[in-house]
Amino acid sequence: MRTVLAREMGGCSVLGRFWGVWRRRPGVRAVPKAPGFGTEAGHRLRPRGSSKRSRPLGGQPFPGLLQLENLSREELVDVLRAAVVDQKGKPGELTLFSVLPELSQSLGLGDQELQVVQASGKETSGLVLLSSCPQTASRLQKFFIYSRRAQRPTATYCAVTDGIPATSEGKIQAALKLEHIDGVDLVIPVKSPSRKDFQEGVKRTLSHFHVVAMGSGCALVQLQPLTVFPSQLQVHMVLQLCPVLGDHTYSARVGTVLGQRFLLPAESTKPQRQVPDEALLRRLCLTPSQAAQLPLHLHLHCLHLPGMRPGEAPMKLLAPLPSYFSRTLQCLGLHQQ
């Protein structure tokens, strides 16, 4: 299996991710295989920088987190171009989709249009897979669909959770649906769904989880979704009473009384800013106002892909952690065991 390491780039307040770009033309940057984060991961996820305790951030929310409003279209294209990891194979709105034509030109693809093959939620950092070849895109989509049917994970995320799961690893299963509540689309768990519920959009979802490290009441968790549903991983971790750090949408569903956590009714619990307790704020060296801007600590670290030609070895694309994510691991002492 070949391993390709994504170049680091800052997260974006709207797109909120690292981008990996897949296009046809030779030119692979490989890294040696090494034991590391998750199953057969080829890159050890270690907090970067000094081992000394991080200093307070002052007025700057999070190092390495790009603010979309501070970027021009040209700068966003440059950031995307710099994030190419493997070279093979709405008007006026500044988003990934809106700059795909400029990115295509910048990469020298001419009239070939880039399309998104694989992506996670807009607040999630990590890899986004793009293709300028319809045949390659179709083949990869079929590969992902087949892998899900065979219950073989193709994506590995890492997350920092506020709270520690009761078991070190396992499966999370839940029936989920999307509901429009007070002008916002929210994911709601459905207990004992009926056949009618499934006909009306309820879907069974499944994720694997593995606790990599624990400390300061938090955990570094590896997550592998085996189904695709909006915000699936965030909701699954809430169901474990361990919301993802920086989840300002679903974390409010976890209540606490006398140190004991419990689930609040999802239908009647409105989204609100996640408020870490005082001890966690001190560990993170954050003020309450900075904590209110805490990015979602959910990162698409690895994608497993098939060989692009007959007889070619499978490939793993890897994206390094954002600097704010690494800083959080350092503050919490969450290091790989």
Side-chain angles (χ1 to χ4, degrees), residues 120-133:
S120 53
K122 71 178 185 179
E123 295 181 345
T124 306
S125 65
L127 289 161
V128 170
L129 196 59
L130 305 177
S131 175
S132 61
C133 175

Side-chain angles (χ1 to χ4, degrees), residues 2 22 88 139-140 143 305-315:
R2 292 183 300 145
W22 180 273
K88 260 194 173 181
R139 183 184 177 197
L140 289 171
F143 167 76
L305 302 178
M308 289 295 101
R309 298 180 181 88
E312 193 172 66
M315 175 182 287

